[in-house]
Amino acid sequence: MARRTEYDEAQAAKRLHTTVVVLRWARHVGVVPDPDVSGFAWSRAAVEAMDAAAVRAAMPREAVSPYEAANRIAAALGTPNEPGQPPAVSSYAVERLIALGLLLDLSGHRRYSSLNPDQVDRVAAREGLAELLDREAPLGPEQAAARLGVRRVDFEWMRRLGWIAPVSWGRVQFGASKAGAVDVPRFAAGHVDDLPGAHPEVDWAELRKVGKGRRSPLAGLQAQLV
């Protein structure tokens, strides 16, 4: 049988008697070098040079899910998630921490994340984390408009002008039929709160007084950009 000359993540992890999750963390902390054959494969020599014990020791505890990470963070903030109650820190908040680069998703699965509990604990102790999570709280378009005190149509003009964009999308089910599910944009509360300060050219007090059915004053701003 011909000797293997290249190893992808799964093959390298198997050779080192560990998991892909641990291998990825070891690479993140520099115990494992970047692939030398391509963006995803190591040469046989590179894998043979890896210290298997050091790789396994890089992440001594089992990975946790976003749900478990949320519970750890909530407890660290002094607001533990209680069964049967809306969570103080949700899995969505953990997804945002991943998107911001504060947590590393070690899973290769597109739907399920795996996180290093030690990294989760470090982030949970981060100064200002509660305020950061407040800024990342998700708002739908209606909620964002209400938070600004403007009409939904005015908020949609802000989107058209490029002032704000969704940070993610959520699947919302209407009724029992899957045909009634739609993708809804989610905006970060902090991004919404920043809009008045970022656009002093708008008379926000007057914008908030515009009545139903009237043309949005923001429509004129787009005309100026054309």
Side-chain angles (χ1 to χ4, degrees):
M1 181 181 293
R3 299 176 73 198
R4 187 184 302 279
T5 59
E6 297 179 7
Y7 291 77
D8 62 20
E9 281 187 321
Q11 293 161 343
K14 184 177 180 179
R15 173 69 184 257
L16 297 167
H17 303 290
T18 189
T19 65
V20 169
V21 166
V22 172
L23 181 72
R24 288 181 175 178
W25 181 259
R27 180 182 172 189
H28 175 69
V29 296
V31 175
V32 168
D34 289 337
D36 61 333
V37 174
S38 64
F40 56 87
W42 290 267
S43 65
R44 183 181 186 88
V47 173
E48 289 179 341
M50 294 178 190
D51 185 334
V55 171
R56 294 192 294 270
M59 186 173 157
R61 295 200 288 166
E62 261 192 60
V64 296
S65 68
Y67 173 80
E68 294 167 311
N71 287 339
R72 298 175 82 97
I73 293 171
L77 292 176
T79 54
N81 290 338
E82 301 290 349
Q85 300 295 323
V89 177
S90 66
S91 296
Y92 176 81
V94 174
E95 291 174 16
R96 292 303 304 147
L97 293 175
I98 294 171
L100 293 171
L102 296 177
L103 291 174
L104 179 65
D105 180 9
L106 301 168
S107 172
H109 198 289
R110 68 182 185 88
R111 291 185 58 191
Y112 305 106
S113 298
S114 294
L115 305 162
N116 184 337
D118 292 324
Q119 186 184 42
V120 171
D121 291 344
R122 287 193 293 272
V123 169
R126 177 189 174 98
E127 185 176 353
L129 179 62
E131 292 75 15
L132 173 62
L133 293 178
D134 285 342
R135 283 185 56 82
E136 292 300 319
L139 299 175
E142 293 285 356
Q143 294 170 308
R147 192 176 180 97
L148 289 168
V150 302
R151 301 172 304 169
R152 168 71 181 271
V153 66
D154 298 313
F155 182 71
E156 291 303 324
W157 273 108
M158 295 176 203
R159 292 181 64 186
R160 292 184 200 178
L161 289 164
W163 294 357
I164 191 168
V167 294
S168 66
W169 292 76
R171 193 76 170 160
V172 176
Q173 185 84 26
F174 294 100
S177 171
K178 290 185 178 180
V182 296
D183 291 323
V184 176
R186 294 186 289 209
F187 303 86
H191 295 180
V192 174
D193 292 342
D194 291 343
L195 285 170
H199 295 281
E201 71 275 18
V202 174
D203 187 332
W204 289 88
E206 288 301 315
L207 181 62
R208 291 177 177 123
K209 295 177 184 177
V210 178
K212 183 178 179 180
R214 286 182 54 193
R215 183 172 184 264
S216 174
L218 302 180
L221 294 180
Q222 188 181 51
Q224 296 171 22
L225 297 176
V226 176

